Amino acid sequence: MNFFGHTFLLRYFYSAVADYLSRDLPYRLSPDDVYLTLGCNQAAEITIEVLARPGANILLPRPGYPDIEAYAIFNKLEIRQFDLLPERGWEVDLDTIEAMSDENTVAMVIINPGNPSGCVYTYNHLNKIAETARKLGIVVIADEVYGHLVYGSNPFVPMSLFATIVPVITLGSVSKRWMIPGWGLGWLVTCDPSGLLRKDEIAESINKLLVYSPFPPTLIQGAIPQILEKTTQDFFSKTINILRKNLEICYDKLKEIPCIIIPQKPEGAFFAMVKLNLLLLEDIEDDMEFCLKLAKEESLIILPGVTVGLKNWLRMTFAVEYSSLEDGLGRLKSFCQRHAKKYTLTGSTAVDQQIHVEH
């Protein structure tokens, strides 16, 4: 194939992604806004490398996705973490955003639907995020790799819907919604109707950097138009129903374990963040020790919350086979019962202690 034929095919692939994402928008994305990457991770890596400069900082959510933090550290960006508020559905603490931002802040990252929080942000909250970013003069990087994987009352709303307010760089891939994680095909999309990213030469920098970066396999690229255009709603509905069923049993079984507190039922993605009540456990000092002993005693792996920014929390997934999930939750319950603190006090002292911790 000659150069012109190859260029035509690439534009065809980019058009497929642009058309797919434009379905949710009041404006149309151009193929020139789309960059194909080796999965969503490379999209995040490229974005952060392009925005990095000496003395700059970036705002990342806590809890968050560790790989994004690693890319920022590698590119010598100062990391400033803002809290997600579990009591408010893991919404962004916008007051903290304004307080920690300065003239060297280049971007803020949001993950929606949330990994690891399981949140799904409302239109109003995303609008407030956009207005805050516009006020601060920063770009919003929207990791939407779990886009449309929602189970509650809040629909998925793309951050690019607010690109007329603030420039948005959307990250995504086929790995989650289409359940093909090994294919390694993602995208980085500049959602910027006002053209600010092109004026600042961000788009040009992305192009230059991608020339020297690994590219998605050509065969996988060739499948993209069919995947995005021909996948039926029936496939998506079956996937959501399976995950919703898993979520319900996970949520119900976790509520039966006294030492685990669930501040917010997950509404999207594959994960739940739950808090450990260590006062109800003996011989366990923190989330790391909890997870290490759980792995040793029950051959069950759960991620300690400290690895995603929240000490003495746990990040759990319900995206496993139903029977395996039931078995794992049973092992977790047995472990917690075995390590439960044996109170010798009479009356309501133990109960009072638990209530005090939860409030």
Side-chain angles (χ1 to χ4, degrees):
M1 181 182 297
N2 62 29
F3 171 79
F4 295 104
H6 183 256
T7 302
F8 174 80
L9 276 179
L10 283 179
R11 191 165 183 83
Y12 176 52
F13 303 151
Y14 297 157
S15 294
V17 176
D19 291 345
Y20 167 71
L21 295 176
S22 294
R23 296 175 194 173
D24 298 325
L25 302 177
Y27 60 93
R28 290 202 62 77
L29 292 165
S30 161
D32 295 331
D33 299 321
V34 177
Y35 308 86
L36 295 183
T37 59
L38 273 171
C40 194
N41 271 10
Q42 191 195 35
E45 182 180 13
I46 293 291
T47 302
I48 289 173
E49 187 168 351
V50 164
L51 293 174
R53 55 178 172 76
N57 64 76
I58 188 168
L59 311 182
L60 302 183
R62 179 175 52 214
Y65 184 50
D67 286 22
I68 294 179
E69 183 176 346
Y71 299 143
I73 292 171
F74 181 80
N75 285 284
K76 297 181 173 57
L77 280 168
E78 178 192 348
I79 294 171
R80 299 182 181 180
Q81 292 184 307
F82 57 87
D83 289 324
L84 304 183
L85 306 172
E87 69 277 9
R88 285 170 32 191
W90 298 102
E91 287 188 346
V92 174
D93 186 346
L94 294 174
D95 292 335
T96 301
I97 292 283
E98 293 203 37
M100 66 174 50
S101 178
D102 60 26
E103 68 277 5
N104 292 316
T105 304
V106 293
M108 67 176 291
V109 173
I110 66 161
I111 306 173
N112 180 49
N115 174 13
S117 66
C119 66
V120 177
Y121 291 145
T122 64
Y123 178 98
N124 287 338
H125 187 58
L126 291 171
N127 187 66
K128 290 178 182 178
I129 291 173
E131 292 288 358
T132 300
R134 180 190 60 79
K135 178 180 177 182
L136 300 173
I138 60 177
V139 175
V140 176
I141 302 172
D143 181 343
E144 297 178 349
V145 71
Y146 292 96
H148 294 281
L149 288 170
V150 298
Y151 323 110
S153 58
N154 291 337
F156 168 66
V157 179
M159 190 70 213
S160 51
L161 199 62
F162 307 95
T164 53
I165 300 173
V166 65
V168 175
I169 298 177
T170 297
L171 315 178
S173 85
V174 298
S175 64
K176 305 302 189 292
R177 193 184 187 198
W178 287 267
M179 300 294 167
I180 42 178
W183 284 38
L185 194 143
W187 50 77
L188 180 171
V189 182
T190 53
C191 308
D192 180 32
S194 61
L196 291 175
L197 296 179
R198 294 197 178 277
K199 181 180 178 182
D200 291 342
E201 299 184 349
I202 298 297
E204 182 181 351
S205 297
I206 294 171
N207 269 318
K208 288 180 178 178
L209 189 55
L210 281 172
V211 168
Y212 301 102
S213 301
F215 215 60
T218 305
L219 288 174
I220 307 303
Q221 291 182 55
I224 277 294
Q226 292 287 320
I227 292 172
L228 298 183
E229 296 168 11
K230 301 289 181 69
T231 304
T232 65
Q233 188 57 45
D234 182 60
F235 170 83
F236 295 133
S237 297
K238 286 180 178 178
T239 301
I240 292 296
N241 289 337
I242 291 169
L243 290 168
R244 183 182 285 118
K245 180 182 177 183
N246 283 12
L247 168 59
E248 293 300 331
I249 185 178
C250 185
Y251 183 68
D252 291 342
K253 293 294 184 182
L254 288 174
K255 288 193 296 183
E256 297 175 1
I257 304 175
C259 66
I260 289 181
I261 302 164
I262 314 171
Q264 175 75 21
K265 183 178 181 180
E267 293 193 337
F270 296 163
F271 310 104
M273 285 296 293
V274 299
K275 189 175 183 179
L276 280 176
N277 185 344
L278 293 172
L279 288 182
L280 298 182
L281 297 170
E282 59 184 9
D283 66 14
I284 292 178
E285 294 295 323
D286 55 27
D287 57 326
M288 186 67 75
E289 186 175 12
F290 180 97
C291 292
L292 287 171
K293 288 185 175 180
L294 178 65
K296 183 177 181 180
E297 296 177 22
E298 296 287 348
S299 298
L300 180 64
I301 306 297
I302 292 178
L303 194 67
V306 69
T307 61
V308 294
L310 286 185
K311 185 175 175 60
N312 295 331
W313 288 67
L314 305 173
R315 193 208 75 164
M316 306 178 64
T317 181
F318 49 86
V320 296
E321 186 179 354
Y322 189 83
S323 59
S324 298
L325 183 62
E326 280 190 305
D327 178 62
L329 291 166
R331 295 186 191 200
L332 177 62
K333 185 174 182 179
S334 296
F335 175 83
C336 292
Q337 289 174 337
R338 191 161 60 249
H339 288 272
K341 189 165 289 184
K342 311 300 189 292
Y343 289 101
T344 57
L345 300 173
T346 58
S348 59
T349 306
V351 175
D352 289 343
Q353 276 188 301
Q354 180 179 358
I355 292 174
H356 176 72
V357 170
E358 293 184 6
H359 289 76

